[in-house]
Amino acid sequence: GTLPPTLATLSSSLVYLKVSRNLLTGNIPTEYAQLSKLKYIAAHKNSFAGPLPESISAWSNIEELNFSDNQFEGPIPESYSNWTNIISMDFDNNPLSGSCGPKLCELVDEREAALAEEGFVFKRDDDGVLVLECWKIECPCASLCCVDGKCLPS
């Protein structure tokens, strides 16, 4: 099945959306841009396909997003760098192409610095993934990784 566009009618109250492992197809409906309160979405391990939707860059409160293990294609939209509250983005195991934009790399680096100021202990592992106690802030690229503000092949 597909995600119902009518779910967007919950825009004033929906904060947490978990639709992972539901054999969903298609793409994220453009109407979901209205989900302005959304902080968490888990949509991994489905069969979503096509380009990552530009419309969801309107999710100004998003903190965690997991779109891994789908069939999203193309680049990660540069507009995702508008997500200033983001803690974790996971696009792993999608046939994405291109490189992540410099603003996305800057966003990861800024978030890392902000967490350090809050007293969290962190380090980058061998793959360039920021490990923060028991959380991970994934690089915003499937086949590339951000290191010192630059996207490098992994």
Side-chain angles (χ1 to χ4, degrees):
T2 60
L3 285 173
T6 55
L7 193 60
T9 60
L10 299 172
S11 63
S12 64
S13 59
L14 189 64
V15 174
Y16 182 99
L17 178 61
K18 184 173 182 183
V19 294
S20 54
R21 297 184 174 130
N22 278 292
L23 304 174
L24 295 169
T25 59
N27 206 321
I28 309 298
T30 56
E31 292 87 351
Y32 282 32
Q34 300 170 37
L35 298 173
S36 60
K37 304 271 190 214
L38 194 65
K39 289 186 176 188
Y40 175 91
I41 182 168
H44 56 286
K45 297 195 182 220
N46 282 297
S47 293
F48 291 118
L52 287 164
E54 186 88 34
S55 60
I56 65 172
S57 63
W59 291 345
S60 59
N61 290 309
I62 196 73
E63 294 177 2
E64 296 183 43
L65 177 138
N66 188 344
F67 282 175
S68 66
D69 299 298
N70 281 289
Q71 295 300 311
F72 287 113
E73 301 172 332
I76 297 171
E78 183 71 13
S79 59
Y80 288 9
S81 63
N82 295 333
W83 294 337
T84 56
N85 294 321
I86 198 75
I87 294 169
S88 175
M89 289 184 271
D90 191 346
F91 300 108
D92 200 21
N93 294 321
N94 281 285
L96 297 173
S97 61
S99 62
C100 63
K103 285 186 178 180
L104 283 171
C105 290
E106 289 172 21
L107 178 64
V108 170
D109 288 341
E110 286 172 16
R111 190 66 186 146
E112 178 179 350
L115 290 168
E117 288 177 14
E118 294 171 19
F120 291 102
V121 176
F122 63 90
K123 66 174 185 165
R124 287 199 184 268
D125 68 12
D126 293 337
D127 295 322
V129 175
L130 180 66
V131 179
L132 175 64
E133 291 185 346
C134 61
W135 316 343
K136 287 167 85 175
I137 297 179
E138 303 275 348
C139 288
C141 314
S143 59
L144 298 170
C145 201
C146 298
V147 177
D148 296 327
K150 296 184 176 108
C151 295
L152 305 172
S154 55

